[in-house]
Amino acid sequence: MAKAVILKPTEYKQFNGRSKNEIKRVAAYCRVSTNHEEQLNSYQAQVSHYTALIQNNPEWELIEVFADEGISGTNSKNRPEFQRMITEAKAGKIDLILTKTISRFARNTEDVLKYARMLKGIGVAIEFERERINTLEVSGEVMMTIFSSLAQEESRSISENSRWGIVKGF
């Protein structure tokens, strides 16, 4: 009679090779593009929201809320907190990044896709709250491309309208 072999299920790995049941190291990214009072209120609301959201989830460990204040999202190079967050993620210190919308993450389709793909490649997920997109899910990239293109066009339109207003003012 052959010996019975008991196979233990392989533990499913996700988020930088850590097991599904481990506490996820979560960061958030917040940004507002101007220092106007209403934007500063949005900035504080974003920081408070994500701090509480992460701290109140027993499966998450708050790493940090990275936040750029009064900085446009059209170029990632000019956002020091964004760059610091990417460095921390590359160093393996973050498993999940939460952000309000794709337009808070970046208003440039190229940057959104570049960073999302790079982070996905190292097992770091980005969750865009408003759009309900997780970059590690299959449909994530298609939806992210569509929404980031819309955010980029909105930014271009706002810039054009502002320029028109200034010219007309003269």
Side-chain angles (χ1 to χ4, degrees), residues 49-50 53 99-101 127-133:
H49 168 75
Y50 286 110
L53 181 70
T99 192
K100 180 179 174 184
T101 67
E127 285 191 10
F128 300 104
E129 187 174 34
R130 181 178 295 157
E131 294 89 354
R132 297 182 182 188
I133 296 172

Side-chain angles (χ1 to χ4, degrees), residues 29-116:
Y29 180 69
C30 305
R31 182 188 61 77
V32 292
S33 55
T34 70
N35 284 319
H36 295 120
E37 187 174 336
E38 67 276 358
Q39 290 260 300
L40 293 177
N41 291 337
S42 172
Y43 176 82
Q44 290 299 330
Q46 287 177 61
V47 171
S48 296
H49 168 75
Y50 286 110
T51 300
L53 181 70
I54 296 167
Q55 287 178 334
N56 290 327
N57 187 327
E59 297 176 2
W60 290 350
E61 172 191 354
L62 174 62
I63 298 303
E64 188 169 345
V65 175
F66 298 87
D68 285 311
E69 180 182 347
I71 299 175
S72 170
T74 56
N75 188 336
S76 63
K77 292 178 181 138
N78 299 330
R79 297 184 284 147
E81 286 296 292
F82 181 86
Q83 290 301 324
R84 198 166 67 78
M85 176 185 69
I86 296 299
T87 300
E88 295 291 303
K90 285 179 176 177
K93 297 178 181 179
I94 299 171
D95 302 314
L96 172 63
I97 297 169
L98 304 176
T99 192
K100 180 179 174 184
T101 67
I102 288 174
S103 66
R104 294 296 96 204
F105 189 77
R107 281 194 177 266
N108 174 317
T109 304
E110 186 178 335
D111 276 351
V112 171
L113 295 175
K114 176 177 107 177
Y115 287 106

Side-chain angles (χ1 to χ4, degrees), residues 136-163:
L136 294 185
E137 293 175 356
V138 176
S139 64
E141 184 154 338
V142 172
M143 297 303 294
M144 192 174 45
T145 302
I146 293 167
F147 283 112
S148 65
S149 295
L150 292 171
Q152 181 175 326
E153 179 56 26
E154 179 184 24
S155 180
R156 188 198 61 73
S157 177
I158 290 168
S159 177
E160 223 173 70
N161 289 341
S162 296
R163 194 170 317 139

